[in-house]
Amino acid sequence: MTEAPGVVRITDVAALAGVSPSTVSKALNDTGSLRPATRARVREAAERLGFVPDASARSLSARRSFTVGLLSTDSAGRFSLPVVLGAENALVGGQISALLATARHDAVREQHHVRSLVARRVDGIIVTGRTTDARPPIRVPMPVVYAYSPSQDPQDASVVPDDATGMSEVAAHLLALGRRRIAYVGGRGDQAASTLRLAALAAALEDHGGTLVGEPLFGEWSERWGRLAVDLVLGDHRPGDPLPVDAIALASDQLARGGCDRLRDRGVRVPEDVAVTGYDDWDVMALASRPPLTTVDPQLDRLGQRAAELLLAAIDGTPAHGTELSPPRLVVRASTAGDA
């Protein structure tokens, strides 16, 4: 069979670099004991010629598939999508392809995807989800890293948002603005995102002279609950009466957008009378809110990238264990800082 016109062969790369075809293979697959100058010369020749290595030959040589599974349980993709994109960016840098599978909160569907990924002999799997609540581990014969949704097994490698630091930064920001009487509105009270953020806020206020006003409020993750919660915080307050709080920290941007709407309905100015903060830096909510929300960006793309880095290290024989916290970033906007 004749070679198709324009196809660059490994022998072409070898001839341009002045080495043998086996040396080209070693240089491009990062194997063998080659001098850095030789490896660089081979890669330069391959790039100049536009050489594309044969994937099946590469897999056989390295006994790897050079593919990784990305398994998500999130049906909406609100949190898992940026994690997956960050992971994929890191994997591409390592010349790894990603296979995405979505379980949509269905245990049967998840097991089907797990079996399929194992059958495809992926080199490893990143598991992500919609909440930061710990989830049961998957048992497979290859490395696994859990991103955003940690494993219940403390020996597994997990990367999760550092919600405690994020809410501590919110508290420090509000206190620096002179706000001292702060209410908290969370989502579901049985979820880690609500309880961890509350604990961090309460500890920061106690340590630095602030007051957590009233009982923490928990409900659904919705604008509707944000509006209802503001009514509970304000009680019978009427325009001109002293306000019971000078700030409200809400555990999500969705809650905070609803809260801002209700404060405006009741004649309370944001941030002049009451400062409002959200969480998650979800553009759809944070930027559309009136005023735009001060919030915390969990930097989920960086979290996904770190998960991929841990997985690649595990594939190479150096697995990590335990939970790693991924740093957040405070984003200051007009809901606390006026014209910010």
Side-chain angles (χ1 to χ4, degrees):
M1 181 180 295
T2 59
E3 196 78 53
V7 171
V8 179
R9 300 166 298 175
I10 194 169
T11 52
D12 298 324
V13 178
L16 181 59
V19 297
S20 68
S22 64
T23 298
V24 172
S25 179
K26 292 175 183 177
L28 297 182
N29 289 319
D30 285 324
T31 59
S33 300
L34 301 179
R35 289 183 299 173
T38 301
R39 203 179 295 275
R41 189 167 74 252
V42 170
R43 288 178 174 171
E44 182 182 357
E47 185 174 347
R48 284 178 57 188
L49 293 173
F51 175 67
V52 179
D54 182 89
S56 60
R58 183 181 179 214
S59 297
L60 287 172
S61 173
R63 295 186 178 179
R64 286 176 50 183
S65 67
F66 292 93
T67 58
V68 161
L70 298 175
L71 176 62
S72 171
T73 61
D74 186 0
S75 56
R78 162 66 191 95
F79 297 105
S80 63
L81 182 57
V83 172
V84 166
L85 292 178
E88 189 176 37
N89 287 339
L91 294 171
V92 168
Q95 296 186 319
I96 306 293
S97 297
L99 300 175
L100 176 62
T102 56
R104 306 176 196 173
H105 300 285
D106 184 331
V108 174
R109 185 186 296 267
E110 177 174 292
Q111 285 303 310
H112 165 74
H113 286 317
V114 169
R115 288 192 298 268
S116 178
L117 292 171
V118 171
R120 290 174 178 266
R121 301 184 183 278
V122 295
D123 295 327
I125 300 175
I126 295 174
V127 179
T128 186
R130 190 174 184 176
T131 75
T132 54
D133 296 328
R135 54 149 295 149
I138 62 173
R139 301 301 182 191
V140 292
M142 65 270 297
V144 178
V145 174
Y146 298 82
Y148 194 75
S149 298
S151 171
Q152 292 173 348
D153 187 340
Q155 289 302 307
D156 288 336
S158 299
V159 186
V160 300
D162 188 352
D163 279 352
T165 293
M167 191 54 87
S168 294
E169 291 182 3
V170 166
H173 172 65
L174 292 173
L175 292 169
L177 294 173
R179 311 295 173 138
R180 292 292 182 272
R181 295 171 292 112
I182 302 171
Y184 176 78
V185 177
R188 285 174 45 185
D190 61 341
Q191 291 186 324
S194 286
T195 56
L196 284 175
R197 293 169 192 177
L198 168 62
L201 176 67
L205 294 180
E206 184 176 358
D207 289 344
H208 300 288
T211 301
L212 187 63
V213 176
E215 291 295 320
L217 300 173
F218 297 104
E220 61 188 15
W221 297 98
S222 69
E223 292 179 70
R224 176 179 176 274
W225 167 235
R227 292 190 292 269
L228 291 173
V230 162
D231 282 336
L232 294 174
V233 170
L234 296 183
D236 296 329
H237 173 267
R238 299 187 181 201
D241 292 346
L243 286 159
V245 298
D246 53 22
I248 305 176
L250 299 101
S252 80
D253 294 337
Q254 202 165 1
L255 294 171
R257 181 178 174 181
C260 284
D261 287 347
R262 189 56 182 153
L263 286 167
R264 186 171 58 253
D265 291 344
R266 294 192 55 169
V268 178
R269 299 171 302 167
V270 178
E272 293 85 354
D273 301 326
V274 174
V276 172
T277 63
Y279 209 103
D280 297 325
D281 197 26
W282 186 9
D283 287 355
V284 172
M285 293 293 165
L287 298 181
S289 174
R290 293 188 294 161
L293 296 172
T294 290
T295 184
V296 175
D297 177 6
Q299 303 189 101
L300 297 181
D301 55 340
R302 288 184 55 182
L303 187 154
Q305 179 178 341
R306 181 56 182 157
E309 291 169 354
L310 292 179
L311 185 65
L312 292 175
I315 291 170
D316 287 336
T318 54
H321 302 282
T323 299
E324 180 175 315
L325 299 177
S326 184
R329 178 177 66 96
L330 181 69
V331 181
V332 177
R333 296 193 182 100
S335 69
T336 61
D339 296 330

